[in-house]
Amino acid sequence: MAEVEGYIERIIYRSEDTGYTVLSLLNGGKESCLVGVLPSVSEGEYVTASGEVVVHPVYGEQIRVQEFAFSVPSDKAGMELYLGSGAIKGIGPALAKRIIKKFGEDTFRIMEEEPERLAEIKGISERRALEVASQMLEKREGRKAMLFLQKYGISWNMGMKIYNQYGNELYRIIQENPYRLADDITGIGFKIADEIASKAGIVADSEFRIRSGILYTLQQAVGQGHTYLPVEILIREAANLLQVEGEQVEKYMMDLTIDRKLLIRNVKVKEGEEAVQKAAYLSHYYYLELNTARMLCDLDIRAVADREEIARTLENIEADTGIALDEIQREAVRTAVEQGLMILTGGPGTGKTTTINAIIRYFEEEDMEVLLAAPTGRAAKRMSEATGREAKTIHRLLEIAGPSEQQIGDHANFGRDEENPLEADVVIIDEMSMVDISLMHALLKAVPVGCRLILVGDVNQLPSVGPGNVLKDIIDSGCFQVVRLTRIFRQAAESDIILNAHRINGGEPVDVNRRSKDFLFVKRENAGNIVGASITLVREKLPAYVQARPQDIQVLTPMRKGNLGVEQLNVVLQEQLNPPAPGKQEKTFPQGVFREGDKVMQIRNNYQMEWEITDRHNIPMEKGVGVFNGDTGIIREVNLFAEELVVEFEDQKKVHYPFKQAEELELAYAVTIHKSQGSEYPAVVIPLLSGPRMLMNRNLLYTAVTRARQCVCIVGSVSMFQEMVANERVQWRYSGLGILLQELRSDGLD
C-alpha cells in the first residue's frame, strides 16, 4: 500500500459517467500517476491518497486509489496554484497572485469567513467576492457529499445528480428514506434505491421500501405495455419482488391511493368476461386514458352532408385520377365526410392507400386544410410517397420542443396543444397501431373540436412499444364509425407476400415449398446454418435481386438473446458487412464496437437531442430537436478527438452523440420484429428456430412478413413457422381506454 500527497498538476482523463479519473500528482518535484473513481477533483487541488501500486504495460507505474481525501493547501505556493488553476470560476493566475500577495496564508480562511474583504483587491467587486466565496463553499460541500455517497456504491455521475437535487439534505434522505431517489431523479429506479437502502440499514419491511416497490412494480408493467394491473396481480408481483407478505403490500396500497399516487377502480379485465375486477393504475396513466377517451368523444361530431353531392364529387375524382373505388372505399370517404372521427383499418393490399388518397382529394376539392402524420420517420416517408403530399412524424406535427424546466423526467414538450391547436380541417394519422397512450393524448390535445380526425392502421399488427392498446381499444369499444377494408385487390393478389400475410393472419396453411418470386423459405435446422444462410442472403443474393444495398436489407428476429437474437446477430453481421479497415475509425463501448459505416438504431426517445439537415457543402439548412426510439441511421464519423459519433438518420438528419450518450444507440443490422413496426424494407430476412410460445405467435410473424416490400426470406425451421401460424395466443395487455369510452357513452357525457 502506497501513500502520497500533493497537488493535482493535470487531469489526464475523466469519465463524466463514472467519475473514473487518471491524474498526475506533484509533490516536491516528484510526479505520481493516480487512477480510480475520484469525485469532483480539479487541477491545483491538494489531496492525500493511498492505494495499490500497479504497473500498466503502456503507461508504467500507477497508484490504484483505494482511499482519498481533500486537503486545504497550507502554503502560499499551493494556494496560488489552486486558485489560478481555474477551479474557481472568474479567478485566473494573475488575480490569484494578487489575492495571495494581499492575504498570504490567511487567504482561504478569509474567502470562507470574511469573503467581502476580497473586494479590497483591485478588480474584485463586492458581488464578485461573494460569488467566489459561494463557489468555494459549494465545492467543499460537493466533495464532502461525493465521498459520503461513494460509501453506498453510488457513481460519481449519479452522485452529482443526487447532490444537485437535494444539496445538503441528501444525508438525511439517504439515511431515512433513500427510496425518494427513485421518485425524484431520472436514472435511479427502485433497484438502485433498494441497494442503497440496504447499505444504509433500512429494514426489508419498511414502509418506504414497500411503497416504492409497489410503484416500481407498476412502472415495470408500464414498460411491458400495460396501463394498469389487476390488484391481485400487483399484490402478488410486488410481494414477490419485496419478499414480504401480500397483506403488507395491500396495506400500503391504500396509503398510496390516499396520496393520489395510485388509483384503484373496477374494470372488465379480459375480453368476453362480464365479471369486473379491481385494477390498480399509476394515477398519471389513468388520467391519460380518461382524458383521451373524453377528447375522442368530443371530436365525434356528426356533420350534415348531402350524399348525392358526395357521390358526384367521388365520380369526378375517379375520372380525374383514373382510380376505381369499390363500395367499401366509397363508404370510407362518405364516413370521413359525415363523421368527426373515423377509423380505417385493413391488412396489406386492401386499398388503404387508395382510400386515403381519395379522402385527401375530396377534402382538397372542398378547400379544406389536410394534415398528414405517422408515428415514425419511416412511416411518414412512406405516407408522403404514397400520397404525393407532405407527411410529418406526429412529434414534428406537434412541434416538439424538448422538456420544459417545469417537467419531471424525459417527457415531451409540444408547441401544439389545447392553447395552440393545429390549424387544420382534417388530420389523418397512419400506422395507428404504433401509437401509445401518451402520444395519442398529446395529439388529441392539439386537434380542435370541429376538425375531422381519421385514424388509419392495421389492428392485427403488434401493439405499440409504449403503454396502451390505443387502436384496438378504440375499435373494440364500438363507440365510433369503423370502416374495415377486407378485399385484396387484383394487383396485390399477385404478391405472395400479401397473400401469405393474410393466410398467416387467418391461421391458414402456407405452402412453404411453392416456388415464389417474393416469398422464399430456406430450410435450415440449426442456429449455425441459419446464421450462415442469412449472411449469404443479405450480403450476396438479395441486393442484386431487389436492387438495394446490403445495409437496406433488414434482418428481423423475434428475440434479443440467444444465437438468433439481435445481440449475437449484430456482432456477426457487423463483421461481415462492415469489417475493420485502415482509416476507418471505431470506438468500443459497453454494448460493443461502433465503427464508421455501421447501421445503428436509437433505442429510447430523446426529446432534447439536437439534429440538423445540411446541404452538400455541409451548411445547415434545417435544425430541430428530438430523436426517437426506432430511428435508424449510419455512423458517418467516429471522432476520437472530440469524443463524439456523428450519425446520419434516414431523413438526412445529422446528430452528434457525445461518447457518453452512445448508450442510446445499438447496432441495427438485425432488429427485433417489435422495433420494425411502421417500417418497410426492400427485403427482410427472418431467422426462425425456437422461442417461448407466448412470443412465437402469428401476430409477430404477420408483422414481420408485412415489413417487406419486394421479398421475404424466412430461414429456419418449417415446424416453428407452422407453430407460429397456428398460435393465435398473444400476451394480454391491460389497458382501459375502451372501457372508459364505453362508460362515457353510456353516461351520455360525450
Side-chain angles (χ1 to χ4, degrees), residues 28-49:
K30 183 181 178 183
E31 186 176 340
S32 302
C33 181
L34 273 58
V35 298
V37 178
L38 307 173
S40 196
V41 295
S42 300
E43 291 177 356
E45 292 185 306
Y46 196 86
V47 299
T48 59

Side-chain angles (χ1 to χ4, degrees), residues 160-229:
M160 286 304 298
K161 283 187 178 182
I162 295 169
Y163 179 68
N164 291 336
Q165 176 78 22
Y166 301 122
N168 288 331
E169 277 286 286
L170 70 87
Y171 304 101
R172 181 183 61 79
I173 290 167
I174 292 290
Q175 290 166 350
E176 292 180 4
N177 178 20
Y179 296 98
R180 269 190 62 183
L181 275 60
D183 292 337
D184 298 342
I185 301 175
T186 302
I188 297 183
F190 170 79
K191 291 195 172 180
I192 293 175
D194 204 33
E195 288 176 12
I196 297 168
S198 176
K199 292 174 182 174
I202 305 293
V203 294
D205 61 353
S206 111
E207 174 186 351
F208 297 130
R209 181 172 187 268
I210 295 175
R211 285 165 62 106
S212 184
I214 292 167
L215 296 177
Y216 173 77
T217 302
L218 279 173
Q219 286 159 355
Q220 290 296 102
V222 166
Q224 295 164 6
H226 308 295
T227 55
Y228 71 84
L229 281 180

Side-chain angles (χ1 to χ4, degrees), residues 454-521:
I454 299 166
L455 307 177
V456 184
D458 183 351
V459 76
N460 295 307
Q461 297 282 352
L462 291 170
S464 58
V465 174
N469 210 353
V470 174
L471 180 63
K472 186 175 188 302
D473 281 356
I474 292 173
I475 292 174
D476 290 351
S477 73
C479 296
F480 307 107
Q481 291 291 320
V482 178
V483 177
R484 291 178 171 83
L485 302 176
T486 56
R487 174 189 166 194
I488 302 175
F489 283 84
R490 183 179 59 81
Q491 187 175 357
E494 296 173 1
S495 165
D496 284 335
I497 294 175
I498 290 174
L499 290 176
N500 286 337
H502 283 275
R503 290 186 182 115
I504 290 166
N505 190 47
E508 300 170 11
V510 174
D511 184 0
V512 298
N513 297 311
R514 182 177 183 273
R515 292 180 64 84
S516 170
K517 64 181 181 181
D518 62 359
F519 193 96
L520 313 176
F521 203 111

Side-chain angles (χ1 to χ4, degrees), residues 69-85:
F70 292 94
S71 299
V72 177
S74 56
D75 61 277
K76 290 192 288 186
M79 291 179 181
E80 184 179 330
L81 183 63
Y82 174 70
L83 290 177
S85 69

